Amino acid sequence: MEWKEIQTHKGKYEVSEMGQVRNIKKGSIVSTRGKLKSVQLSPYTYPRLTPMCQLVAQAFINNPNHYKSIRFINGFFEPKKDNLEWVKELKKGDIGYTIPDSWYFGFSQNS
């Protein structure tokens, strides 16, 4: 399984292509919440949940057009690299997530 450091939390957290986040120092997997399997990463001054699909897509899927919507290819909320794709916009019937402008922070592509 491949792991990449989360760029907004360098030295603290890594995300895997299979949809897990681990604390680098403790080596422990961070628990997820809700249908989007969101995680709360520290430090933030207020509680902020980040959907796992966002972390996986930003770390592992090339996004040269800077799209903000992520579609689950198989229609299920499985935040794995092979089940995610960046799309310009979600169409009716698509299962996915659009990153709000205030939350968008880029990863260096395929670093």
Side-chain angles (χ1 to χ4, degrees):
M1 181 178 345
E2 184 178 0
W3 292 85
K4 288 190 178 180
E5 194 169 57
I6 297 174
Q7 297 300 303
T8 55
H9 292 79
K10 287 188 176 200
K12 296 184 180 194
Y13 297 99
E14 295 176 313
V15 62
S16 80
E17 62 189 332
M18 299 302 290
Q20 292 183 315
V21 169
R22 73 178 168 196
N23 182 309
I24 293 172
K25 290 180 183 177
K26 296 179 183 176
S28 60
I29 301 297
V30 177
S31 60
T32 61
R33 301 176 190 171
K35 184 167 46 172
L36 279 174
K37 298 183 178 159
S38 299
V39 292
Q40 185 171 344
L41 305 177
S42 298
Y44 282 117
T45 55
Y46 56 92
R48 176 175 174 168
L49 293 173
T50 304
M52 186 69 68
C53 62
Q54 176 181 340
L55 296 173
V56 173
Q58 287 177 319
F60 293 99
I61 302 172
N62 196 15
N63 186 12
N65 298 312
H66 305 287
Y67 293 150
K68 295 181 185 176
S69 295
I70 304 161
R71 185 175 82 86
F72 291 92
I73 296 167
N74 72 1
F76 296 100
F77 291 99
E78 296 173 359
K80 298 176 182 177
K81 175 184 168 185
D82 295 338
N83 188 42
L84 301 173
E85 68 179 341
W86 289 103
V87 293
K88 186 173 185 176
E89 60 185 36
L90 295 170
K91 297 178 179 154
K92 186 175 182 176
D94 280 350
I95 303 296
Y97 175 74
T98 300
I99 301 169
D101 289 334
S102 62
W103 280 31
Y104 192 80
F105 36 84
F107 275 63
S108 55
Q109 294 302 316
N110 298 322
S111 56

